[in-house]
Amino acid sequence: MALVALGVCAAAFFVIRFKLYQQLDQNLAQSATLIARQHRDAEGPGVVTGECRFLGAPACSQVVPEDPADDPAQPYLLPVTGATRDVAAGRRTPYYASVPLPGGKPGRMFTTTFGDGEAVQVALRADIAERGVRQAATLLVAVGGAGVLLSAVGGYWVSRTGLAPITRLTATPERIAATRDARHRIELPPGPPGRAGRDGRQDEVTRLAATFNMMLAELEESVAARRRLVADASHELRTPLTALRTNAELLARADRLTPAQRERAAGALGRQLREVTGLVNDLIELAREEEPQPLLEEVRLAPLAAHAVEAARGHWPAVPFTLRIAPQAADLSLPGVPARLSRLLTNLLDNAAKFSPPGAPVELCLMEAELTVRDHGPGIAEEDLPYVFDRFYRAERARALPGSGLGLAMARQIAHAHGAELTAERAAGGGALFRLALPTA
């Protein structure tokens, strides 16, 4: 704004100066034409008129010869230079110049050809024009200075007002970094979320603050999830580690035990080691949220599902497993890691078999758009449905069953890593139904 104000003032000054001198030059050209017409038959060079007035006639004028030897005895009123002789000789075009007049007054002079070998010089006083230029310069300097001052004040006010939300936005992460508390949020303007201005668009800073608040909410959820994971893992590891230590201490006194007691203690120690190893491996798998790109390949789902069902039949011989593959899904494939997708199906089948009563089937169905696994057990209680995929979550009726509560959480994570969506619901007629929506749909 300051540059615009100065630029406008400078442009106005040059326009005013140009117009004042243009008017003066037009009067000089008219006077020169009039003098040439009236004094064409005058005898020899010399002063024609000696009175110089501003924008008036007659103007002071004189005729100058090409050769200085032809100058009159009477001195000239206006300055005669080599440029004047060149105009008289025709070697230079007519020109305007600012010169001092007799008496010290400023003047404006026009030099043009008068006849063969002569030039006529016409001058008018320019003090009024120069005074106008000085007054315009003074006024415009004052206006430009006021414009710069107003620009500075306005710019300071606009910057302080406009950047106040940025200051609050900056203070929030600084406060979070100092307190390590991700619950802080940026204060948004009053009104409903997504409030728009008169033009129907949100303020940029408001959108930025709202987006930053969303990021802080995700950060808070991530920190809370990490804390829950650490707390749950420590809780789940405490019991098997205590049992391991107890059995290890018991085996350290093997000389006091009978062979049967030593065998039971060694078997329990091996079983607990396998449980702890499986739990740690599951935690490591959950900590990895993305699949390694070099291991990706096109995985055919029908053979993978058949292999998972055969493996589940070996793990759960008392549970009948059924597999149904729709004709349009026989050649269905998915970009992914075969071992991870196999782990997803194994976790779903193991979870279904764990809750199935003896003789009740577990059904795996592969269709073009989705894959479903259903059991005929007690099903999932309504209050447990929102939490079945949480890490270490164990429903009330499942706490007496083996497992760490990580299987379904791992299954959903593997599904998300492959672009699929895993959901759980109560099946019609009883039991639980897990639905894997495939990205190929």
Side-chain angles (χ1 to χ4, degrees), residues 147-159:
V148 171
L149 180 61
L150 289 176
S151 300
V153 173
Y156 177 79
W157 178 80
V158 168
S159 65

Side-chain angles (χ1 to χ4, degrees), residues 345-360:
L345 297 180
T346 299
N347 286 2
L348 293 179
L349 292 173
D350 287 347
N351 181 80
K354 185 167 40 176
F355 290 98
S356 290

Side-chain angles (χ1 to χ4, degrees), residues 150-174:
L150 289 176
S151 300
V153 173
Y156 177 79
W157 178 80
V158 168
S159 65
R160 297 295 296 175
T161 303
L163 296 180
I166 302 295
T167 304
R168 292 197 300 270
L169 189 149
T170 306
T172 300
E174 291 175 348

Side-chain angles (χ1 to χ4, degrees), residues 244 247 265-275:
L244 277 174
N247 287 320
L269 184 63
R271 186 169 56 254
Q272 289 155 2
L273 279 173
R274 288 192 297 272
E275 290 178 0

